[in-house]
């Protein structure tokens, strides 16, 4: 399973479906472009994956998909 190493040492995998440590985010502008019933796969394509480390609370956001490096956000 593909994974990244969190700065706290925890290994965060992103191959599980569904993934218990993954969140999906979509911009309000993009979401606003949809109306009514839409295909979940279509919506999925628009969403950014976020991995949450439950050990340290950091969020790893894949702004440009899994092929690009994620950006790390740490709680203050
Ligand atoms: Zn961590």
């Amino acid at each position: 399973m593909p994974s990244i190493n969190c700065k706290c040492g925890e290994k965060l995998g992103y191959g599980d479906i569904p993934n218990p440590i993954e969140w999906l985010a979509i911009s309000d502008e993009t979401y606003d472009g949809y109306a009514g019933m839409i295909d979940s796969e279509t919506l999925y394509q628009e969403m950014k994956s976020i991995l949450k480390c439950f050990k340290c609370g950091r969020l790893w956001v894949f702004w440009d998909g899994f092929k690009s490096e994620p950006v790390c956000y740490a709680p203050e």
Side-chain angles (χ1 to χ4, degrees):
M1 170 164 82
S3 65
I4 56 171
N5 292 313
C6 189
K7 290 178 181 175
C8 72
E10 191 79 349
K11 195 174 195 180
L12 307 176
Y14 52 90
D16 284 349
I17 301 173
N19 189 340
I21 62 163
E22 183 174 346
W23 269 253
L24 299 168
I26 186 170
S27 78
D28 193 46
E29 278 191 330
T30 304
Y31 183 76
D32 211 45
Y34 291 98
M37 301 289 283
I38 67 159
D39 183 60
S40 62
E41 195 58 35
T42 304
L43 189 59
Y44 184 80
Q45 301 295 328
E46 299 280 9
M47 297 197 281
K48 313 295 182 189
S49 289
I50 302 166
L51 299 185
K52 179 178 181 181
C53 177
F54 280 97
K55 192 172 166 193
C56 70
R58 283 186 176 88
L59 298 177
W60 293 84
V61 182
F62 290 82
W63 291 112
D64 299 307
F66 286 116
K67 285 174 182 159
S68 299
E69 286 292 306
V71 178
C72 177
Y73 300 85
E76 287 191 47

